[in-house]
Structures are given as structure tokens and as C-alpha cells.
Amino acid sequence: MSTYNIQPVLPIRMQLGECPLWHAAEAALYWIDIDGRAVHRHIPATGAHQHWDMPSEPGCIAIRAAGGLLVALRSGLIVLNTRNGEMTPVADAPYDQRTTRFNDGRCDAAGRLWVGSIYEPRDHAHAALYCIERDAISDSGKRATVSNGVAFSPDNKTLYHADTTTHRIFACDYDVRSAALGASRVLHQFSTDKQNNYGGRPDGAAVDSEGNYWCAMYEGGRLLRLSPQGDILSEIALPVRCPTMMAFGGDDLRTLYITSVSKNRPAAELEQHPLSGNLLSVRVDVAGLPEHVYLA
């Protein structure tokens, strides 16, 4: 079994860290604190860190080819100018903001942002998976309670996404030229029995250069690496119980950056796992894929 040296990146505790994103041109890592209503940037080479306060909860971010970031807030889409902090509205949210917000997302190879939502009452599958193309938002028709884990295969023929509430990861046939979703299959179904055989539920994800799907297991304290057929290939145990998402970064895309949660976690858990809410990093053997950028 491999031994991993997992380290905190910064002495900063997020409330709900999410959506780490490696910006290769800047050699910088971006991520968000959803409940902290902030977007963060860290440059590993210099140790520089800064953040931008948001007017509502950010659900995910995407690198814009034209510069800055596209930020999916509860209230809608904005462009964040990371040079001067200016925020420009792009589109209103396509849902009832009293019960729903944007959540996990990632860009495809054609420059579209695929972003899910979270239906906060969690009593039925009222969340959706949206496609944002040149600032226009369309509903893919995929339903979930908490849409998560969006990622793409290296050949761009598969879109992965998860419904965290049902503990299920899906793989959908995908035509990157037309953005059409085809047949969908269950990649992996995790146990929903929290009393027995519970290893967490699938949250954010990333795909490596070998085409394997990495998944953060919320309340499972681990990352899993799944094959394109859904078999569990390996596991990394973490010093936090609630990891949320990961991103491959660094010059060789072999540094895995992992976000986590501290808000609303039991006091005993936070005492046992004092790094909860921190941004973590670990070196891995297989490189990730470069992040696609958003074309406005």
C-alpha cells in the first residue's frame, strides 16, 4: 500500500471549501469557500494568497479564456476580474434562490461550463445539471438532489456526475461537438446505510491522465480512484472526515489539492481532525489533465 504525505497548504480554515482549480498560465490554485462567500487564490512558488468576497455563495468557478474567472453564485453568473476585483453580472440564476444554489461544475473541451445545483431541502430530486455556453444557461434535463462530481473523460466522450444524496455516480455518453448527452449508466453505487458499511458519499471529482475518476468521499475521510468501468482502484486516507473536491496541479499536474469542510461538523470531529476545513495537498504517481477554459 502506498504511503502518502498529506500536508496543509495554508493555515486557513474554510467553512465549506470547494472547487479547487489549477490555473496553469498563472501557476496558481483557485478555490472557493461557499459559506464563507469568497474566492481564493494561492501561488505555491511564492506563498502569496489573496481572496475576494462574494455577494452570495459561490458554487463553482471556471477559468475564462478572456481573463479572470466565471463565478457561479447563488444569485447567478458573474465575471470576476482577478486583477482589480471588479465583478460584472452575466446572467441571473435559473432557479428559486430561496431553496437552490449553484454547486459543483467543470468546463468541457469546447469551452462550456457544466454546473449542477443543490436543492437545499433535500426532500426530492429538484436540482439540475446546467450547461452554460457563451453565457447562455440551458437545463440538461438531468435531475438530482445534490448535483456533484462533474468531470470529463480524456477522449471527451463521457461526462461524469454524481448525486451525493443517493450516493451514486453516473457516466453519460457525451458528444462534445453538440453538447448532447446520450445514454447514462451508474458508474458506482455506494452504500446508503450509515449504520453499516458506510464509507462516505461521493462529492467533487477529477479525472486523471489515464482516464480514471477520482472522487472525494464526504464523511468517508478518503479519496477514491475509480476505473472507467467503476471499479475502485486505490484509496487515499485523509486527515479530515469531509473532503469535498480535488484538483491536479503543479507544473507536472501530480500535486493533488483537496478542499474540505469545517462548518456544522461535530465538535468531537473537529477536535479529532483539526485540519478540517483546510486546503490539503499530496503528491500522486499519475498526473491529472489540464483544466479546460470557459469561452465567453
Side-chain angles (χ1 to χ4, degrees):
M1 179 178 292
S2 299
T3 300
Y4 296 95
N5 182 22
I6 301 165
Q7 297 291 330
V9 175
L10 295 167
I12 300 172
R13 174 178 274 187
M14 306 294 140
Q15 295 184 52
L16 176 47
E18 265 285 7
C19 200
L21 193 66
W22 181 253
H23 195 310
E26 295 182 7
L29 184 81
Y30 287 88
W31 73 97
I32 60 177
D33 184 349
I34 296 177
D35 286 358
R37 298 190 179 190
V39 174
H40 291 258
R41 176 172 63 189
H42 171 64
I43 302 176
T46 64
H49 168 257
Q50 67 186 115
H51 78 277
W52 297 268
D53 293 329
M54 296 287 110
S56 64
E57 300 100 309
C60 76
I61 51 178
I63 301 165
R64 296 178 73 248
L69 301 176
L70 182 69
V71 185
L73 300 170
R74 179 187 290 271
S75 54
L77 305 177
I78 65 165
V79 170
L80 170 64
N81 185 322
T82 53
R83 295 189 305 273
N84 59 23
E86 289 183 356
M87 300 180 203
T88 304
V90 172
D92 293 333
Y95 47 69
D96 184 346
Q97 297 176 37
R98 296 170 297 180
T99 60
T100 309
R101 64 166 171 80
F102 279 127
N103 201 42
D104 175 277
R106 177 169 269 109
C107 285
D108 69 13
R112 309 176 189 94
L113 174 61
W114 286 83
V115 55
S117 60
I118 174 172
Y119 179 62
E120 292 167 324
R122 291 178 170 83
D123 54 9
H124 66 283
H126 196 59
L129 179 64
Y130 298 97
C131 178
I132 302 169
E133 184 170 11
R134 299 193 180 275
D135 300 345
I137 305 173
S138 59
D139 187 335
S140 73
K142 296 291 183 183
R143 290 292 173 263
T145 305
V146 178
S147 179
N148 246 320
V150 177
F152 297 90
S153 60
D155 63 6
N156 302 306
K157 293 182 179 180
T158 303
L159 181 152
Y160 298 101
H161 71 105
D163 184 354
T164 299
T165 304
T166 63
H167 301 203
R168 190 175 295 142
I169 302 170
F170 299 92
C172 299
D173 293 341
Y174 184 55
D175 184 340
V176 71
R177 293 168 299 177
S178 65
L181 293 175
S184 179
R185 62 185 172 88
V186 175
L187 182 73
H188 200 97
Q189 172 70 66
F190 296 94
S191 172
T192 58
D193 183 354
K194 292 192 176 183
Q195 305 304 316
N196 300 287
N197 194 34
Y198 180 58
R201 52 193 187 269
D203 203 319
V207 170
D208 66 27
S209 56
E210 295 181 353
N212 300 301
Y213 182 88
W214 291 70
C215 178
M217 295 300 289
Y218 190 90
E219 289 188 337
R222 58 187 180 145
L223 305 181
L224 295 180
R225 185 179 180 224
L226 280 67
S227 73
Q229 293 73 43
D231 300 316
I232 297 176
L233 302 176
S234 59
E235 172 181 333
I236 300 178
L238 299 173
V240 298
R241 187 159 186 258
C242 295
T244 55
M245 192 174 175
M246 77 292 293
F248 291 92
D251 292 342
D252 59 0
L253 295 179
R254 286 181 50 225
T255 298
L256 203 58
Y257 290 99
I258 307 147
T259 48
S260 64
V261 173
S262 65
K263 185 177 180 180
N264 295 332
R265 302 310 304 168
E269 178 183 315
L270 296 179
E271 183 176 357
Q272 181 181 2
H273 303 287
L275 292 178
S276 296
N278 275 235
L279 174 69
L280 308 174
S281 69
V282 61
R283 294 286 290 169
V284 293
D285 295 332
V286 178
L289 297 169
E291 292 288 349
H292 298 304
V293 300
Y294 177 74
L295 299 176

